[in-house]
Amino acid sequence: NRLVSNQGEKNPRAKLTKNQVIEILNLSKKGVKNKDIATLFNITKSYVSNIINKRTWKNINPENLIQ
C-alpha cells in the first residue's frame, strides 16, 4: 500500500503535464490522428492511445475538456 499518491504530474516519471493531457484529449476529440499527436508531444502512439482510453491519466475530468 502506498502512503502517498503520485498521480499525474506528481509522479516523477510523468512525461506530460495535466494541461498537455487535456490538450491531447481535445485534439483527439477534434479528429487529429494519434500519430500526429504523438509527434507533436514527442511521445509514442501507444501512450496517446493509453491517455485517450483512460489507461493512464485517469484522474483527468471530462469537464476539463473543450466542448
Side-chain angles (χ1 to χ4, degrees), residues 16-48:
L16 301 168
T17 65
K18 180 179 178 179
N19 288 337
Q20 288 174 314
V21 171
I22 291 169
E23 189 174 349
I24 287 168
L25 293 169
N26 284 327
L27 289 170
S28 175
K29 194 172 182 179
K30 291 178 183 177
V32 179
K33 293 180 182 178
N34 287 7
K35 72 174 189 167
D36 296 330
I37 295 172
T39 301
L40 185 63
F41 289 91
N42 197 29
I43 56 177
T44 64
K45 290 185 295 186
S46 62
Y47 193 56
V48 173

